[in-house]
């Protein structure tokens, strides 16, 4: 396949659990609900594709797979799976899971940080208590955190939905929450992230589409960002729509309509398993190729980082083989497309030094 061996930049992922896991612990991390299961498309993918990395035959049964994982130990299993992904650069959301240094000790290649807006704001609110200038303190802290980062991220979709109020002015009072849910504060915070991103050339990532049960899916449709995208067009900000399913066609439309919008399919790819090429094809219907990026959104289990890479390569490779057979694309154009989505678009959009 054209995608075999291509080096990847994983522009959005998380750290891994640094502990051995029993079956309930493993399966909890295998899905976005309250309990994942091996009895699913991703469970089949783990047994098929991850088993050989741990020296097992493909399709090893769950108990055998977990026994071998325990025998190797979490560190050996993790390093094997991360190395097998073929990823040479990782952009780590440090707002959830392990930190950059911990992940870098396990993963090959460069590890860069994505700063989560809500985490910074919540840390400041916890520390300052009843300070008189909380919003100024949040901005100072955020600017300090992004000095060595490559991007910003918001999970406003989880906290109040993507139809948050748009404002450049902080609310008159701060609702003192350890976990921010106040729409006025969140709207101001996203606006602050957008302004800092435009000023410093740091893309702003949005969680969109499916997630765990803390999310209300109807509030995570990226089309709800339309007014925000109109307001930020021409500002210099790059907007990254993450994951997107089942709204990936909506996200593709937004990338088609707005030059500063980009998208990935993230954890959608490992979760849909054998359907990866079909979902990729739907995103390709409208999205410009320059707007598509690769990510795994691997979190907790290194199996997810590995499967994100492997199933993305397989899905895109099969799709392009079909296009080439139908004379819809030349081999040279297909090769350029693969390189762009695998790493080139990330290098350009995140303005990485040396690329």
């Amino acid at each position: 396949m054209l995608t075999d061996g291509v080096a990847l930049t994983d522009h959005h992922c998380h750290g891994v659990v640094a502990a051995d896991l029993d079956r309930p612990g493993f399966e909890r991390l295998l899905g976005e609900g309250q309990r994942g299961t091996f009895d699913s498309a991703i469970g089949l993918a783990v047994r098929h594709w991850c088993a050989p990395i741990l020296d097992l035959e493909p399709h090893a049964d769950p108990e055998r797979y977990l026994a071998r994982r325990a025998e190797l130990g979490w560190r050996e299993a993790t390093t094997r799976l991360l190395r097998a992904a073929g990823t040479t650069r990782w952009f780590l959301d440090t707002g959830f899971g392990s930190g950059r240094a911990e992940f870098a000790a396990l993963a090959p290649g460069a590890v860069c940080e994505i700063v989560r807006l809500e985490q910074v704001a919540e840390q400041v609110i916890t520390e300052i208590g009843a300070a008189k200038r909380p919003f100024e303190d949040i901005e100072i802290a955020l600017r300090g955190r992004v000095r060595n980062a490559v991007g910003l991220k918001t999970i406003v979709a989880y906290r109040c939905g993507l139809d948050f109020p748009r404002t450049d002015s902080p609310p008159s009072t701060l609702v003192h929450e350890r976990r921010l849910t106040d729409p006025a504060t969140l709207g101001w915070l996203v606006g602050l992230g957008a302004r800092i991103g435009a000023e410093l050339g740091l893309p702003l990532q949005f969680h969109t589409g499916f997630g765990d049960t803390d999310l209300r899916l109807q509030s995570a449709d990226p089309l709800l960002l339309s007014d925000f995208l109109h307001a930020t067009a021409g500002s210099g900000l790059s907007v990254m729509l993450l994951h997107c399913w089942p709204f990936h066609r909506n996200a593709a439309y937004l990338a088609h309509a707005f030059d500063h919008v980009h998208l990935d399919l993230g954890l959608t790819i490992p979760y849909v398993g054998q359907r990866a090429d079909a979902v990729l094809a739907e995103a390709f219907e409208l999205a410009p190729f320059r707007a598509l990026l690769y990510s795994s959104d691997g979190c907790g289990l290194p199996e997810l980082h590995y499967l994100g890479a492997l199933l993305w390569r397989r899905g895109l490779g099969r799709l392009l083989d079909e296009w080439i057979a139908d004379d819809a694309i030349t081999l040279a154009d297909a090769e350029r497309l693969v390189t762009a989505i695998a790493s080139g678009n990330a290098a350009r959009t995140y303005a990485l030094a040396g690329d």
Side-chain angles (χ1 to χ4, degrees):
M1 287 186 179
L2 287 171
T3 51
D4 289 347
V6 63
L8 299 176
T9 292
D10 190 340
H11 93 113
H12 179 74
C13 63
H14 304 269
V16 299
V17 173
D20 294 317
L21 297 166
D22 60 12
R23 181 162 182 168
F26 186 91
E27 287 192 312
R28 273 195 297 273
L29 296 169
L30 201 57
E32 286 294 306
Q34 294 178 343
R35 183 177 183 274
T37 175
F38 271 103
D39 188 20
S40 61
I42 192 166
L44 291 175
V46 168
R47 293 171 54 206
H48 181 186
W49 299 107
C50 299
I53 305 299
L54 306 187
D55 306 321
L56 297 171
E57 292 296 319
H59 308 294
D61 67 68
E63 294 302 332
R64 179 72 188 102
Y65 181 83
L66 292 174
R68 177 57 178 164
R69 200 179 191 275
E71 182 182 316
L72 288 170
W74 73 266
R75 184 177 294 276
E76 174 65 16
T78 295
T79 55
R80 287 190 184 195
L81 288 159
L82 293 180
R83 287 171 183 165
T87 299
T88 57
R89 184 181 277 127
W90 316 77
F91 294 176
L92 195 74
D93 173 5
T94 54
F96 183 79
S98 62
R100 192 181 70 83
E102 293 85 352
F103 189 76
L106 300 166
V111 179
C112 306
E113 183 180 18
I114 300 291
V115 173
R116 186 181 290 197
L117 300 179
E118 291 80 8
Q119 182 201 37
V120 174
E122 288 162 355
Q123 286 177 339
V124 171
I125 291 168
T126 298
E127 291 169 3
I128 67 175
K132 295 181 179 179
R133 303 188 310 168
F135 299 105
E136 292 180 30
D137 290 338
I138 289 170
E139 179 168 354
I140 290 168
L142 185 57
R143 288 183 177 276
R145 280 286 303 276
V146 301
R147 285 180 187 146
N148 297 312
V150 295
L152 299 154
K153 182 192 175 182
T154 175
I155 54 167
V156 68
Y158 275 93
R159 300 304 179 79
C160 71
L162 294 178
D163 54 349
F164 54 87
R166 293 185 300 105
T167 178
D168 290 337
S169 302
S172 56
T173 58
L174 174 67
V175 178
H176 286 267
E177 301 173 297
R178 293 184 63 86
R179 181 178 183 274
L180 275 179
T181 59
D182 175 51
T185 302
L186 288 164
W188 168 80
L189 182 62
V190 174
L192 173 63
R195 292 192 300 278
I196 292 175
E199 175 190 334
L200 300 179
L202 300 174
L204 176 58
Q205 301 179 347
F206 283 82
H207 178 102
T208 72
F210 79 117
D212 63 39
T213 53
D214 195 31
L215 184 78
R216 299 298 179 265
L217 186 58
Q218 68 273 19
S219 298
D221 186 337
L223 289 181
L224 295 171
L225 290 171
S226 294
D227 289 344
F228 174 84
L229 297 176
H230 277 286
T232 54
S235 69
L237 178 69
S238 293
V239 174
M240 303 289 170
L241 305 177
L242 306 177
H243 323 319
C244 302
W245 189 95
F247 309 118
H248 48 291
R249 280 174 157 159
N250 295 357
Y253 156 73
L254 293 173
H256 175 89
F258 294 96
D259 287 343
H260 66 312
V261 174
H262 306 74
L263 72 146
D264 67 31
L265 292 172
L267 77 171
T268 301
I269 297 299
Y271 279 127
V272 300
Q274 287 294 104
R275 292 279 295 166
D277 52 339
V279 177
L280 281 162
E282 290 170 349
F284 276 46
E285 289 169 349
L286 280 183
F289 301 151
R290 60 167 175 75
L292 292 156
L293 287 81
Y294 165 74
S295 85
S296 69
D297 192 39
C299 181
L301 298 177
E303 283 85 351
L304 300 179
H305 300 76
Y306 171 63
L307 288 174
L310 180 138
L311 294 174
W312 180 87
R313 285 192 180 93
R314 282 177 51 81
L316 183 57
R318 292 196 300 184
L319 178 62
L320 291 177
D321 284 347
E322 179 184 319
W323 286 9
I324 291 169
D326 288 344
D327 199 26
I329 192 171
T330 67
L331 178 60
D333 283 341
E335 289 173 341
R336 282 192 289 270
L337 184 155
V338 169
T339 301
I341 301 174
S343 61
N345 291 342
R348 171 179 50 81
T349 310
Y350 287 86
L352 299 176
D355 288 299

